[in-house]
Amino acid sequence: AKQEGRQGYRFFTPEMQARATRNLLLLNALRHALTLEQLQVYYQPQVSMFDGRIIGAEALLRWRHPALGMVSPAEFIPVAEDSGLILPIGEWVLRSAVRQAKAWQAEGLGSLVMAVNLSAVQFRNRELPDLVTRVLEQEGLAPDYLELELTEGVAMLNPESAIDLIDNLHERGVRMAIDDFGTGYSSLSYLKKFKVYKLKIDQSFVRDIGTDAEDKAIVSAVISLARSLGLQTIAEGVETIEQQTFLNQQGCDEMQGYLFSQPLPAEQFAALLKRSLTI
Ligand code: C2E
Ligand code: CA
Ligand code: CA
Ligand code: CA
């Protein structure tokens, strides 16, 4: 009976307690990450299926803490979202990526489209469209070289306001992409109303193309759906030649994944770009 009584007060399992402690630690460290210059943007190439050229880059945030080491964005982005820190951090990523795209253009390394991830919190912020326009103007990048990735899950949380915001950004000339497509249950009627340019096929479907007939069917259905709606497709998480071959056969436009390259620091990305230009 004593034990039951005690259990009644145990709202947290040890695992939940450990997670909460870790999140608090991360939050306190993350508050200073920007000013201490612990954050860095890495870039992963987006490659044309048609001719293998690098036509875009996705900006992916990295956090190296002196004591904690490399912390995965999968772990710290949620902490940044819950605390609102994602607003200054997201603005910093946007500005860094836009500035980098402009710098590569100025160096004659071609005209890449720079893809930047948007979190739900940024998406809900009414000042986002003005912020995006301001950053583009200040950094001198034409809006059609910026692509904003919004996950399907976030778009479908509130589809009506997603339509408005996507419209707004679209009118400003920015390209919109739906990230992690296939995981968020969009209805076709909404997909038609989202003025997006590209669907990004989630890596969970790409991963099992070789072994799972259902995933194969989903991937080819998404590609033909996109085609009939006039949208571009990119597959993420492409790791094998077999996956690439299948995607190519199905008519996928672009790919991104370790098969081609991991996300790289800016200098290494530029070196890869230079090499690909001289081939
Ligand atoms: P995401 O936007 O879906 O990004 C794709 C993730 O897949 C990245 O993980 C990338 O490094 C990884 N990836 C790329 N190619 C492969 C591959 O061939 N195989 C496998 N297994 N993985 C691959 P990363 O960089 O750890 O980012 C995780 C998530 O964190 C991102 O998922 C995104 O949701 C979020 N994130 C990263 N940077 C930012 C950012 O600047 N802002 C926001 N709001 N979220 C970000
Ligand atoms: Ca993404
Ligand atoms: Ca994704
Ligand atoms: Ca994801």
Side-chain angles (χ1 to χ4, degrees):
K2 217 178 195 175
Q3 277 200 331
E4 266 170 42
R6 283 173 62 113
Q7 292 229 323
Y9 294 98
R10 260 176 61 188
F11 296 108
F12 289 104
T13 64
E15 294 74 32
M16 286 161 78
Q17 188 61 52
R19 174 101 313 263
T21 307
R22 167 90 175 164
N23 281 351
L24 197 58
L25 178 75
L26 291 179
L27 174 58
N28 286 326
L30 198 56
R31 287 189 204 286
H32 310 291
L34 259 183
T35 47
L36 295 176
E37 300 186 5
Q38 294 166 353
L39 298 181
Q40 199 180 350
V41 183
Y42 275 40
Y43 299 93
Q44 187 175 34
Q46 299 186 327
V47 179
S48 162
M49 280 285 189
F50 175 67
D51 59 9
R53 282 189 321 129
I54 301 173
I55 53 180
E58 180 179 12
L60 291 160
L61 187 56
R62 294 290 177 262
W63 179 23
R64 190 189 303 274
H65 185 274
L68 301 170
M70 277 294 226
V71 186
S72 161
E75 194 181 16
F76 74 79
I77 294 282
V79 173
E81 289 184 318
D82 289 346
S83 59
L85 280 175
I86 194 68
L87 290 176
I89 291 175
E91 179 173 346
W92 180 83
V93 172
L94 175 69
R95 188 176 293 280
S96 306
V98 163
R99 183 174 294 169
Q100 190 61 71
K102 174 71 184 180
W104 284 331
Q105 282 189 7
E107 283 177 55
L109 294 178
S111 300
L112 298 175
V113 173
M114 180 62 75
V116 176
N117 291 285
L118 276 187
S119 96
V121 177
Q122 289 171 287
F123 193 67
R124 276 199 299 268
N125 178 12
R126 292 185 179 276
E127 284 156 40
L128 178 75
D130 285 342
L131 171 71
V132 169
T133 300
R134 191 163 67 243
V135 167
L136 287 166
E137 282 173 4
Q138 287 170 344
E139 303 300 333
L141 187 75
D144 50 338
Y145 292 115
L146 177 65
E147 187 169 283
L148 295 175
E149 294 190 0
L150 179 70
T151 66
E152 187 186 22
V154 169
M156 290 308 293
L157 273 178
N158 189 343
E160 294 301 335
S161 71
I163 292 171
D164 288 346
L165 195 63
I166 292 171
D167 271 359
N168 187 332
L169 288 161
H170 173 82
E171 275 159 25
R172 292 164 193 254
V174 173
R175 292 185 184 184
M176 299 297 295
I178 301 280
D179 200 357
D180 299 352
F181 189 78
T183 62
Y185 314 104
S186 343
S187 72
L188 291 180
S189 59
Y190 278 121
L191 195 54
K192 228 179 70 184
K193 290 183 193 160
F194 293 147
K195 285 215 186 68
V196 296
Y197 177 81
K198 195 189 267 184
L199 297 184
K200 220 171 168 180
I201 304 168
D202 190 66
Q203 57 187 55
S204 62
F205 302 111
V206 175
R207 187 175 47 226
D208 298 329
I209 277 174
T211 51
D212 187 326
E214 256 174 47
D215 284 349
K216 230 173 169 159
I218 291 171
V219 168
S220 78
V222 168
I223 294 169
S224 49
L225 169 69
R227 173 160 318 132
S228 61
L229 291 172
L231 305 177
Q232 299 282 304
T233 44
I234 181 167
E236 64 179 4
V238 180
E239 296 182 353
T240 68
I241 302 273
E242 290 71 30
Q243 292 164 348
Q244 179 190 15
T245 305
F246 176 75
L247 291 160
N248 200 1
Q249 283 165 354
Q250 299 304 307
C252 186
D253 299 298
E254 298 173 25
M255 65 167 193
Q256 182 181 342
Y258 299 161
L259 177 64
F260 191 83
S261 169
Q262 299 218 340
L264 302 169
E267 312 74 55
Q268 278 172 259
F269 187 99
L272 187 68
L273 257 185
K274 276 180 198 150
R275 259 182 284 143
S276 76
L277 287 175
T278 53
I279 291 169

